[in-house]
mmCIF file of all heavy atoms in Angstrom:
data_model
loop_
_atom_site.group_PDB
_atom_site.id
_atom_site.type_symbol
_atom_site.label_atom_id
_atom_site.label_comp_id
_atom_site.label_asym_id
_atom_site.label_seq_id
_atom_site.Cartn_x
_atom_site.Cartn_y
_atom_site.Cartn_z
ATOM 1 N N MET A 1 10.959 -17.216 -2.208
ATOM 2 C CA MET A 1 9.941 -16.237 -2.331
ATOM 3 C C MET A 1 10.129 -15.200 -1.263
ATOM 4 O O MET A 1 10.288 -15.465 -0.132
ATOM 5 C CB MET A 1 8.574 -16.921 -2.298
ATOM 6 C CG MET A 1 7.356 -15.962 -2.463
ATOM 7 S SD MET A 1 7.165 -15.330 -4.075
ATOM 8 C CE MET A 1 6.764 -16.761 -5.032
ATOM 9 N N ASN A 2 10.119 -13.944 -1.631
ATOM 10 C CA ASN A 2 10.233 -12.831 -0.709
ATOM 11 C C ASN A 2 8.800 -12.363 -0.345
ATOM 12 O O ASN A 2 7.962 -12.177 -1.144
ATOM 13 C CB ASN A 2 10.938 -11.678 -1.293
ATOM 14 C CG ASN A 2 12.353 -11.967 -1.708
ATOM 15 O OD1 ASN A 2 13.189 -12.222 -0.737
ATOM 16 N ND2 ASN A 2 12.632 -12.135 -2.876
ATOM 17 N N LYS A 3 8.602 -12.125 0.981
ATOM 18 C CA LYS A 3 7.318 -11.633 1.473
ATOM 19 C C LYS A 3 7.544 -10.328 2.175
ATOM 20 O O LYS A 3 8.414 -10.181 2.977
ATOM 21 C CB LYS A 3 6.787 -12.690 2.528
ATOM 22 C CG LYS A 3 6.402 -13.978 1.847
ATOM 23 C CD LYS A 3 5.878 -14.999 2.912
ATOM 24 C CE LYS A 3 5.633 -16.294 2.266
ATOM 25 N NZ LYS A 3 5.101 -17.281 3.159
ATOM 26 N N VAL A 4 6.646 -9.356 1.844
ATOM 27 C CA VAL A 4 6.779 -7.990 2.354
ATOM 28 C C VAL A 4 5.469 -7.679 2.963
ATOM 29 O O VAL A 4 4.355 -7.817 2.356
ATOM 30 C CB VAL A 4 7.167 -7.013 1.258
ATOM 31 C CG1 VAL A 4 7.065 -5.556 1.786
ATOM 32 C CG2 VAL A 4 8.480 -7.254 0.670
ATOM 33 N N THR A 5 5.508 -7.119 4.241
ATOM 34 C CA THR A 5 4.240 -6.634 4.868
ATOM 35 C C THR A 5 4.557 -5.145 5.187
ATOM 36 O O THR A 5 5.590 -4.798 5.813
ATOM 37 C CB THR A 5 4.031 -7.374 6.139
ATOM 38 O OG1 THR A 5 3.807 -8.787 5.911
ATOM 39 C CG2 THR A 5 2.740 -6.832 6.813
ATOM 40 N N LEU A 6 3.733 -4.269 4.743
ATOM 41 C CA LEU A 6 3.877 -2.879 4.917
ATOM 42 C C LEU A 6 2.674 -2.333 5.702
ATOM 43 O O LEU A 6 1.442 -2.498 5.268
ATOM 44 C CB LEU A 6 4.034 -2.157 3.652
ATOM 45 C CG LEU A 6 4.213 -0.554 3.747
ATOM 46 C CD1 LEU A 6 5.424 -0.201 4.489
ATOM 47 C CD2 LEU A 6 4.270 -0.008 2.321
ATOM 48 N N THR A 7 2.874 -1.765 6.835
ATOM 49 C CA THR A 7 1.739 -1.169 7.689
ATOM 50 C C THR A 7 2.043 0.346 7.837
ATOM 51 O O THR A 7 3.088 0.804 8.163
ATOM 52 C CB THR A 7 1.705 -1.744 9.051
ATOM 53 O OG1 THR A 7 1.495 -3.227 8.878
ATOM 54 C CG2 THR A 7 0.574 -1.179 9.866
ATOM 55 N N VAL A 8 0.952 1.128 7.504
ATOM 56 C CA VAL A 8 1.152 2.567 7.625
ATOM 57 C C VAL A 8 0.056 2.989 8.568
ATOM 58 O O VAL A 8 -1.110 2.634 8.540
ATOM 59 C CB VAL A 8 0.777 3.247 6.238
ATOM 60 C CG1 VAL A 8 0.821 4.790 6.353
ATOM 61 C CG2 VAL A 8 1.821 2.763 5.213
ATOM 62 N N GLU A 9 0.511 3.837 9.599
ATOM 63 C CA GLU A 9 -0.493 4.400 10.564
ATOM 64 C C GLU A 9 -0.938 5.753 10.023
ATOM 65 O O GLU A 9 -0.133 6.639 9.834
ATOM 66 C CB GLU A 9 0.192 4.487 11.963
ATOM 67 C CG GLU A 9 -0.841 4.897 13.037
ATOM 68 C CD GLU A 9 -0.336 4.833 14.372
ATOM 69 O OE1 GLU A 9 0.588 4.085 14.632
ATOM 70 O OE2 GLU A 9 -0.883 5.510 15.269
ATOM 71 N N LEU A 10 -2.240 5.855 9.789
ATOM 72 C CA LEU A 10 -2.771 7.013 9.239
ATOM 73 C C LEU A 10 -3.158 8.003 10.348
ATOM 74 O O LEU A 10 -3.295 7.629 11.494
ATOM 75 C CB LEU A 10 -4.001 6.698 8.390
ATOM 76 C CG LEU A 10 -3.821 5.699 7.244
ATOM 77 C CD1 LEU A 10 -5.174 5.190 6.701
ATOM 78 C CD2 LEU A 10 -2.939 6.309 6.193
ATOM 79 N N PRO A 11 -3.319 9.309 9.961
ATOM 80 C CA PRO A 11 -3.781 10.300 11.040
ATOM 81 C C PRO A 11 -5.074 9.815 11.549
ATOM 82 O O PRO A 11 -5.938 9.281 10.901
ATOM 83 C CB PRO A 11 -4.027 11.562 10.251
ATOM 84 C CG PRO A 11 -3.062 11.452 9.034
ATOM 85 C CD PRO A 11 -3.070 9.908 8.729
ATOM 86 N N GLY A 12 -5.238 9.944 12.842
ATOM 87 C CA GLY A 12 -6.459 9.408 13.526
ATOM 88 C C GLY A 12 -6.261 8.140 14.137
ATOM 89 O O GLY A 12 -7.155 7.542 14.735
ATOM 90 N N GLY A 13 -5.096 7.492 13.898
ATOM 91 C CA GLY A 13 -4.739 6.175 14.534
ATOM 92 C C GLY A 13 -5.123 4.979 13.695
ATOM 93 O O GLY A 13 -4.746 3.865 14.118
ATOM 94 N N SER A 14 -5.854 5.047 12.619
ATOM 95 C CA SER A 14 -6.140 3.861 11.848
ATOM 96 C C SER A 14 -4.908 3.348 11.159
ATOM 97 O O SER A 14 -4.046 4.103 10.869
ATOM 98 C CB SER A 14 -7.357 4.121 10.883
ATOM 99 O OG SER A 14 -7.015 5.100 9.960
ATOM 100 N N LYS A 15 -4.890 2.079 10.842
ATOM 101 C CA LYS A 15 -3.736 1.464 10.190
ATOM 102 C C LYS A 15 -4.129 0.793 8.869
ATOM 103 O O LYS A 15 -5.257 0.208 8.809
ATOM 104 C CB LYS A 15 -3.044 0.405 11.105
ATOM 105 C CG LYS A 15 -2.456 1.074 12.344
ATOM 106 C CD LYS A 15 -1.743 -0.046 13.142
ATOM 107 C CE LYS A 15 -1.151 0.657 14.394
ATOM 108 N NZ LYS A 15 -0.481 -0.268 15.224
ATOM 109 N N LEU A 16 -3.250 0.898 7.959
ATOM 110 C CA LEU A 16 -3.420 0.288 6.637
ATOM 111 C C LEU A 16 -2.303 -0.700 6.403
ATOM 112 O O LEU A 16 -1.131 -0.290 6.511
ATOM 113 C CB LEU A 16 -3.445 1.320 5.562
ATOM 114 C CG LEU A 16 -3.542 0.874 4.123
ATOM 115 C CD1 LEU A 16 -4.838 0.062 3.874
ATOM 116 C CD2 LEU A 16 -3.489 2.071 3.155
ATOM 117 N N THR A 17 -2.563 -1.975 6.164
ATOM 118 C CA THR A 17 -1.586 -2.958 5.960
ATOM 119 C C THR A 17 -1.746 -3.623 4.601
ATOM 120 O O THR A 17 -2.889 -3.961 4.151
ATOM 121 C CB THR A 17 -1.684 -4.023 7.027
ATOM 122 O OG1 THR A 17 -1.480 -3.429 8.296
ATOM 123 C CG2 THR A 17 -0.571 -5.119 6.900
ATOM 124 N N THR A 18 -0.627 -3.842 3.896
ATOM 125 C CA THR A 18 -0.628 -4.616 2.629
ATOM 126 C C THR A 18 0.445 -5.675 2.709
ATOM 127 O O THR A 18 1.459 -5.555 3.389
ATOM 128 C CB THR A 18 -0.410 -3.629 1.458
ATOM 129 O OG1 THR A 18 -0.531 -4.312 0.223
ATOM 130 C CG2 THR A 18 0.970 -2.924 1.479
ATOM 131 N N PHE A 19 0.174 -6.733 1.916
ATOM 132 C CA PHE A 19 1.095 -7.858 1.848
ATOM 133 C C PHE A 19 1.482 -8.103 0.428
ATOM 134 O O PHE A 19 0.536 -8.077 -0.393
ATOM 135 C CB PHE A 19 0.398 -9.113 2.439
ATOM 136 C CG PHE A 19 -0.097 -8.972 3.787
ATOM 137 C CD1 PHE A 19 -1.463 -8.576 3.994
ATOM 138 C CD2 PHE A 19 0.633 -9.114 4.930
ATOM 139 C CE1 PHE A 19 -1.989 -8.409 5.228
ATOM 140 C CE2 PHE A 19 0.100 -8.941 6.184
ATOM 141 C CZ PHE A 19 -1.168 -8.608 6.318
ATOM 142 N N GLU A 20 2.683 -8.378 0.171
ATOM 143 C CA GLU A 20 3.111 -8.813 -1.210
ATOM 144 C C GLU A 20 4.067 -9.912 -1.163
ATOM 145 O O GLU A 20 4.817 -10.018 -0.252
ATOM 146 C CB GLU A 20 3.780 -7.545 -1.961
ATOM 147 C CG GLU A 20 2.788 -6.403 -2.263
ATOM 148 C CD GLU A 20 1.761 -6.791 -3.368
ATOM 149 O OE1 GLU A 20 2.004 -7.687 -4.185
ATOM 150 O OE2 GLU A 20 0.668 -6.178 -3.379
ATOM 151 N N GLU A 21 4.036 -10.810 -2.236
ATOM 152 C CA GLU A 21 5.067 -11.752 -2.355
ATOM 153 C C GLU A 21 5.596 -11.755 -3.759
ATOM 154 O O GLU A 21 4.854 -11.601 -4.751
ATOM 155 C CB GLU A 21 4.358 -13.188 -2.120
ATOM 156 C CG GLU A 21 3.975 -13.554 -0.721
ATOM 157 C CD GLU A 21 3.506 -14.907 -0.525
ATOM 158 O OE1 GLU A 21 3.799 -15.775 -1.356
ATOM 159 O OE2 GLU A 21 2.784 -15.128 0.437
ATOM 160 N N ASP A 22 6.873 -11.967 -3.872
ATOM 161 C CA ASP A 22 7.476 -11.982 -5.199
ATOM 162 C C ASP A 22 8.807 -12.607 -5.132
ATOM 163 O O ASP A 22 9.465 -12.499 -4.076
ATOM 164 C CB ASP A 22 7.578 -10.558 -5.751
ATOM 165 C CG ASP A 22 7.744 -10.550 -7.303
ATOM 166 O OD1 ASP A 22 8.749 -11.020 -7.829
ATOM 167 O OD2 ASP A 22 6.786 -10.110 -7.941
ATOM 168 N N GLU A 23 9.328 -13.111 -6.196
ATOM 169 C CA GLU A 23 10.683 -13.716 -6.256
ATOM 170 C C GLU A 23 11.710 -12.580 -6.121
ATOM 171 O O GLU A 23 12.765 -12.803 -5.506
ATOM 172 C CB GLU A 23 10.920 -14.474 -7.612
ATOM 173 C CG GLU A 23 10.109 -15.749 -7.722
ATOM 174 C CD GLU A 23 10.558 -16.845 -6.752
ATOM 175 O OE1 GLU A 23 11.815 -16.874 -6.448
ATOM 176 O OE2 GLU A 23 9.749 -17.616 -6.344
ATOM 177 N N ASN A 24 11.357 -11.411 -6.645
ATOM 178 C CA ASN A 24 12.247 -10.286 -6.586
ATOM 179 C C ASN A 24 11.866 -9.331 -5.403
ATOM 180 O O ASN A 24 10.775 -8.868 -5.355
ATOM 181 C CB ASN A 24 12.112 -9.515 -7.896
ATOM 182 C CG ASN A 24 13.028 -8.329 -8.044
ATOM 183 O OD1 ASN A 24 13.052 -7.455 -7.141
ATOM 184 N ND2 ASN A 24 13.772 -8.298 -9.125
ATOM 185 N N LEU A 25 12.797 -9.201 -4.512
ATOM 186 C CA LEU A 25 12.422 -8.405 -3.306
ATOM 187 C C LEU A 25 12.139 -6.970 -3.559
ATOM 188 O O LEU A 25 11.170 -6.405 -3.141
ATOM 189 C CB LEU A 25 13.694 -8.413 -2.336
ATOM 190 C CG LEU A 25 13.437 -7.565 -1.053
ATOM 191 C CD1 LEU A 25 12.273 -8.064 -0.239
ATOM 192 C CD2 LEU A 25 14.741 -7.668 -0.196
ATOM 193 N N TYR A 26 12.898 -6.361 -4.522
ATOM 194 C CA TYR A 26 12.628 -4.978 -4.985
ATOM 195 C C TYR A 26 11.244 -4.832 -5.549
ATOM 196 O O TYR A 26 10.488 -3.897 -5.165
ATOM 197 C CB TYR A 26 13.650 -4.548 -5.945
ATOM 198 C CG TYR A 26 13.335 -3.202 -6.552
ATOM 199 C CD1 TYR A 26 13.640 -2.031 -5.888
ATOM 200 C CD2 TYR A 26 12.833 -3.038 -7.822
ATOM 201 C CE1 TYR A 26 13.428 -0.809 -6.434
ATOM 202 C CE2 TYR A 26 12.584 -1.783 -8.411
ATOM 203 C CZ TYR A 26 12.869 -0.649 -7.626
ATOM 204 O OH TYR A 26 12.597 0.588 -8.183
ATOM 205 N N ARG A 27 10.819 -5.720 -6.295
ATOM 206 C CA ARG A 27 9.454 -5.694 -6.899
ATOM 207 C C ARG A 27 8.377 -5.856 -5.813
ATOM 208 O O ARG A 27 7.353 -5.129 -5.902
ATOM 209 C CB ARG A 27 9.325 -6.797 -7.961
ATOM 210 C CG ARG A 27 8.151 -6.640 -8.847
ATOM 211 C CD ARG A 27 8.177 -7.473 -10.067
ATOM 212 N NE ARG A 27 8.643 -8.837 -9.903
ATOM 213 C CZ ARG A 27 9.497 -9.470 -10.709
ATOM 214 N NH1 ARG A 27 9.817 -8.948 -11.815
ATOM 215 N NH2 ARG A 27 9.798 -10.733 -10.437
ATOM 216 N N ALA A 28 8.589 -6.665 -4.880
ATOM 217 C CA ALA A 28 7.611 -6.882 -3.790
ATOM 218 C C ALA A 28 7.464 -5.592 -3.007
ATOM 219 O O ALA A 28 6.344 -5.142 -2.652
ATOM 220 C CB ALA A 28 8.037 -8.027 -2.816
ATOM 221 N N VAL A 29 8.625 -4.949 -2.724
ATOM 222 C CA VAL A 29 8.467 -3.657 -1.990
ATOM 223 C C VAL A 29 7.837 -2.574 -2.769
ATOM 224 O O VAL A 29 6.913 -1.842 -2.271
ATOM 225 C CB VAL A 29 9.920 -3.180 -1.598
ATOM 226 C CG1 VAL A 29 10.018 -1.777 -1.002
ATOM 227 C CG2 VAL A 29 10.612 -4.110 -0.585
ATOM 228 N N VAL A 30 8.147 -2.479 -4.037
ATOM 229 C CA VAL A 30 7.506 -1.443 -4.866
ATOM 230 C C VAL A 30 6.032 -1.698 -4.981
ATOM 231 O O VAL A 30 5.135 -0.804 -4.901
ATOM 232 C CB VAL A 30 8.126 -1.404 -6.256
ATOM 233 C CG1 VAL A 30 7.337 -0.594 -7.259
ATOM 234 C CG2 VAL A 30 9.561 -0.912 -6.211
ATOM 235 N N ARG A 31 5.567 -2.954 -5.133
ATOM 236 C CA ARG A 31 4.117 -3.292 -5.183
ATOM 237 C C ARG A 31 3.375 -2.852 -3.923
ATOM 238 O O ARG A 31 2.294 -2.352 -3.910
ATOM 239 C CB ARG A 31 3.920 -4.780 -5.456
ATOM 240 C CG ARG A 31 4.169 -5.212 -6.868
ATOM 241 C CD ARG A 31 4.073 -6.633 -6.886
ATOM 242 N NE ARG A 31 3.735 -7.176 -8.103
ATOM 243 C CZ ARG A 31 3.796 -8.516 -8.405
ATOM 244 N NH1 ARG A 31 4.173 -9.329 -7.433
ATOM 245 N NH2 ARG A 31 3.504 -9.009 -9.574
ATOM 246 N N ALA A 32 4.076 -3.120 -2.778
ATOM 247 C CA ALA A 32 3.435 -2.782 -1.518
ATOM 248 C C ALA A 32 3.269 -1.241 -1.435
ATOM 249 O O ALA A 32 2.211 -0.769 -0.946
ATOM 250 C CB ALA A 32 4.278 -3.246 -0.335
ATOM 251 N N LEU A 33 4.316 -0.505 -1.815
ATOM 252 C CA LEU A 33 4.191 0.961 -1.795
ATOM 253 C C LEU A 33 3.133 1.463 -2.751
ATOM 254 O O LEU A 33 2.320 2.377 -2.491
ATOM 255 C CB LEU A 33 5.578 1.585 -2.169
ATOM 256 C CG LEU A 33 6.640 1.463 -1.125
ATOM 257 C CD1 LEU A 33 7.970 1.835 -1.679
ATOM 258 C CD2 LEU A 33 6.262 2.242 0.107
ATOM 259 N N ILE A 34 3.029 0.842 -3.929
ATOM 260 C CA ILE A 34 1.941 1.252 -4.888
ATOM 261 C C ILE A 34 0.589 0.957 -4.276
ATOM 262 O O ILE A 34 -0.340 1.738 -4.431
ATOM 263 C CB ILE A 34 2.138 0.507 -6.244
ATOM 264 C CG1 ILE A 34 3.420 1.082 -6.911
ATOM 265 C CG2 ILE A 34 0.965 0.657 -7.108
ATOM 266 C CD1 ILE A 34 3.906 0.277 -8.158
ATOM 267 N N ASP A 35 0.422 -0.194 -3.638
ATOM 268 C CA ASP A 35 -0.862 -0.504 -2.975
ATOM 269 C C ASP A 35 -1.316 0.639 -2.038
ATOM 270 O O ASP A 35 -2.457 1.099 -2.060
ATOM 271 C CB ASP A 35 -0.846 -1.842 -2.223
ATOM 272 C CG ASP A 35 -0.722 -2.962 -3.050
ATOM 273 O OD1 ASP A 35 -1.007 -2.921 -4.263
ATOM 274 O OD2 ASP A 35 -0.418 -4.032 -2.468
ATOM 275 N N ILE A 36 -0.342 1.032 -1.239
ATOM 276 C CA ILE A 36 -0.596 2.172 -0.288
ATOM 277 C C ILE A 36 -0.884 3.425 -0.939
ATOM 278 O O ILE A 36 -1.856 4.180 -0.646
ATOM 279 C CB ILE A 36 0.595 2.318 0.732
ATOM 280 C CG1 ILE A 36 0.893 1.126 1.569
ATOM 281 C CG2 ILE A 36 0.361 3.591 1.578
ATOM 282 C CD1 ILE A 36 -0.269 0.627 2.490
ATOM 283 N N GLU A 37 -0.122 3.729 -1.986
ATOM 284 C CA GLU A 37 -0.328 5.006 -2.726
ATOM 285 C C GLU A 37 -1.745 5.057 -3.435
ATOM 286 O O GLU A 37 -2.394 6.058 -3.364
ATOM 287 C CB GLU A 37 0.773 5.105 -3.761
ATOM 288 C CG GLU A 37 0.597 6.447 -4.655
ATOM 289 C CD GLU A 37 1.633 6.527 -5.714
ATOM 290 O OE1 GLU A 37 2.255 5.553 -6.078
ATOM 291 O OE2 GLU A 37 1.884 7.725 -6.075
ATOM 292 N N VAL A 38 -2.141 3.915 -4.043
ATOM 293 C CA VAL A 38 -3.450 3.857 -4.688
ATOM 294 C C VAL A 38 -4.513 4.100 -3.603
ATOM 295 O O VAL A 38 -5.522 4.823 -3.827
ATOM 296 C CB VAL A 38 -3.638 2.556 -5.419
ATOM 297 C CG1 VAL A 38 -5.018 2.312 -5.787
ATOM 298 C CG2 VAL A 38 -2.686 2.523 -6.650
ATOM 299 N N PHE A 39 -4.419 3.450 -2.459
ATOM 300 C CA PHE A 39 -5.402 3.652 -1.390
ATOM 301 C C PHE A 39 -5.531 5.038 -1.018
ATOM 302 O O PHE A 39 -6.631 5.660 -0.833
ATOM 303 C CB PHE A 39 -5.098 2.756 -0.212
ATOM 304 C CG PHE A 39 -6.063 2.958 0.951
ATOM 305 C CD1 PHE A 39 -7.292 2.358 0.927
ATOM 306 C CD2 PHE A 39 -5.663 3.771 1.990
ATOM 307 C CE1 PHE A 39 -8.161 2.600 2.037
ATOM 308 C CE2 PHE A 39 -6.548 4.070 3.022
ATOM 309 C CZ PHE A 39 -7.747 3.408 3.065
ATOM 310 N N LEU A 40 -4.386 5.709 -0.770
ATOM 311 C CA LEU A 40 -4.356 7.118 -0.373
ATOM 312 C C LEU A 40 -4.933 8.044 -1.392
ATOM 313 O O LEU A 40 -5.698 8.984 -1.113
ATOM 314 C CB LEU A 40 -2.963 7.573 0.054
ATOM 315 C CG LEU A 40 -2.415 6.859 1.309
ATOM 316 C CD1 LEU A 40 -0.952 7.239 1.466
ATOM 317 C CD2 LEU A 40 -3.261 7.155 2.521
ATOM 318 N N ILE A 41 -4.643 7.821 -2.651
ATOM 319 C CA ILE A 41 -5.221 8.609 -3.732
ATOM 320 C C ILE A 41 -6.692 8.438 -3.784
ATOM 321 O O ILE A 41 -7.459 9.418 -3.884
ATOM 322 C CB ILE A 41 -4.592 8.201 -5.134
ATOM 323 C CG1 ILE A 41 -3.114 8.714 -5.129
ATOM 324 C CG2 ILE A 41 -5.392 8.751 -6.258
ATOM 325 C CD1 ILE A 41 -2.295 8.147 -6.321
ATOM 326 N N GLU A 42 -7.235 7.198 -3.651
ATOM 327 C CA GLU A 42 -8.669 6.965 -3.642
ATOM 328 C C GLU A 42 -9.310 7.742 -2.442
ATOM 329 O O GLU A 42 -10.431 8.228 -2.620
ATOM 330 C CB GLU A 42 -9.010 5.502 -3.521
ATOM 331 C CG GLU A 42 -8.656 4.750 -4.829
ATOM 332 C CD GLU A 42 -8.829 3.271 -4.638
ATOM 333 O OE1 GLU A 42 -9.069 2.731 -3.515
ATOM 334 O OE2 GLU A 42 -8.655 2.560 -5.728
ATOM 335 N N MET A 43 -8.647 7.725 -1.271
ATOM 336 C CA MET A 43 -9.231 8.405 -0.103
ATOM 337 C C MET A 43 -9.277 9.944 -0.399
ATOM 338 O O MET A 43 -10.243 10.581 -0.033
ATOM 339 C CB MET A 43 -8.382 8.222 1.099
ATOM 340 C CG MET A 43 -8.516 6.756 1.608
ATOM 341 S SD MET A 43 -10.154 6.239 1.952
ATOM 342 C CE MET A 43 -10.528 7.251 3.334
ATOM 343 N N ASP A 44 -8.228 10.479 -1.033
ATOM 344 C CA ASP A 44 -8.198 11.915 -1.378
ATOM 345 C C ASP A 44 -9.333 12.263 -2.348
ATOM 346 O O ASP A 44 -10.024 13.274 -2.196
ATOM 347 C CB ASP A 44 -6.887 12.353 -2.059
ATOM 348 C CG ASP A 44 -5.766 12.522 -0.998
ATOM 349 O OD1 ASP A 44 -6.093 12.572 0.217
ATOM 350 O OD2 ASP A 44 -4.541 12.544 -1.396
ATOM 351 N N VAL A 45 -9.588 11.408 -3.302
ATOM 352 C CA VAL A 45 -10.634 11.651 -4.270
ATOM 353 C C VAL A 45 -11.989 11.573 -3.631
ATOM 354 O O VAL A 45 -12.820 12.474 -3.879
ATOM 355 C CB VAL A 45 -10.564 10.625 -5.508
ATOM 356 C CG1 VAL A 45 -11.842 10.661 -6.305
ATOM 357 C CG2 VAL A 45 -9.302 10.816 -6.368
ATOM 358 N N LYS A 46 -12.190 10.680 -2.738
ATOM 359 C CA LYS A 46 -13.453 10.583 -1.991
ATOM 360 C C LYS A 46 -13.704 11.837 -1.109
ATOM 361 O O LYS A 46 -14.781 12.400 -1.034
ATOM 362 C CB LYS A 46 -13.565 9.362 -1.083
ATOM 363 C CG LYS A 46 -13.746 8.108 -1.783
ATOM 364 C CD LYS A 46 -13.868 6.935 -0.813
ATOM 365 C CE LYS A 46 -14.034 5.616 -1.475
ATOM 366 N NZ LYS A 46 -14.059 4.464 -0.479
ATOM 367 N N ASN A 47 -12.605 12.372 -0.449
ATOM 368 C CA ASN A 47 -12.699 13.502 0.417
ATOM 369 C C ASN A 47 -13.021 14.737 -0.473
ATOM 370 O O ASN A 47 -13.719 15.635 -0.018
ATOM 371 C CB ASN A 47 -11.427 13.691 1.216
ATOM 372 C CG ASN A 47 -11.365 12.704 2.262
ATOM 373 O OD1 ASN A 47 -12.315 12.101 2.692
ATOM 374 N ND2 ASN A 47 -10.079 12.375 2.741
ATOM 375 N N GLU A 48 -12.462 14.835 -1.652
ATOM 376 C CA GLU A 48 -12.712 15.935 -2.538
ATOM 377 C C GLU A 48 -14.169 15.979 -3.049
ATOM 378 O O GLU A 48 -14.707 17.087 -3.184
ATOM 379 C CB GLU A 48 -11.749 16.068 -3.639
ATOM 380 C CG GLU A 48 -10.299 16.349 -3.336
ATOM 381 C CD GLU A 48 -9.347 16.365 -4.525
ATOM 382 O OE1 GLU A 48 -9.802 16.176 -5.660
ATOM 383 O OE2 GLU A 48 -8.179 16.469 -4.296
ATOM 384 N N LYS A 49 -14.719 14.874 -3.178
ATOM 385 C CA LYS A 49 -16.120 14.789 -3.708
ATOM 386 C C LYS A 49 -17.113 15.189 -2.640
ATOM 387 O O LYS A 49 -18.200 15.576 -2.962
ATOM 388 C CB LYS A 49 -16.389 13.418 -4.263
ATOM 389 C CG LYS A 49 -15.716 13.091 -5.560
ATOM 390 C CD LYS A 49 -16.107 11.756 -6.125
ATOM 391 C CE LYS A 49 -15.447 11.450 -7.404
ATOM 392 N NZ LYS A 49 -15.748 10.155 -7.857
ATOM 393 N N GLN A 50 -16.717 15.036 -1.375
ATOM 394 C CA GLN A 50 -17.703 15.359 -0.309
ATOM 395 C C GLN A 50 -17.757 16.770 -0.062
ATOM 396 O O GLN A 50 -17.426 17.720 -0.082
ATOM 397 C CB GLN A 50 -17.259 14.631 0.979
ATOM 398 C CG GLN A 50 -17.420 13.111 0.836
ATOM 399 C CD GLN A 50 -16.920 12.403 2.143
ATOM 400 O OE1 GLN A 50 -16.429 12.989 3.036
ATOM 401 N NE2 GLN A 50 -17.182 11.117 2.105
#
């Protein structure tokens, strides 16, 4: 089982971390990136509504 931890430091110093496990390393990396992308899109949508 492959385990991937991805941490992104956002502007302002806050950090976002995601964890993924999968038999396929490529798929685990892609899922971690998608998790981060979805979070950032949600943050953009919230900021636009304000």
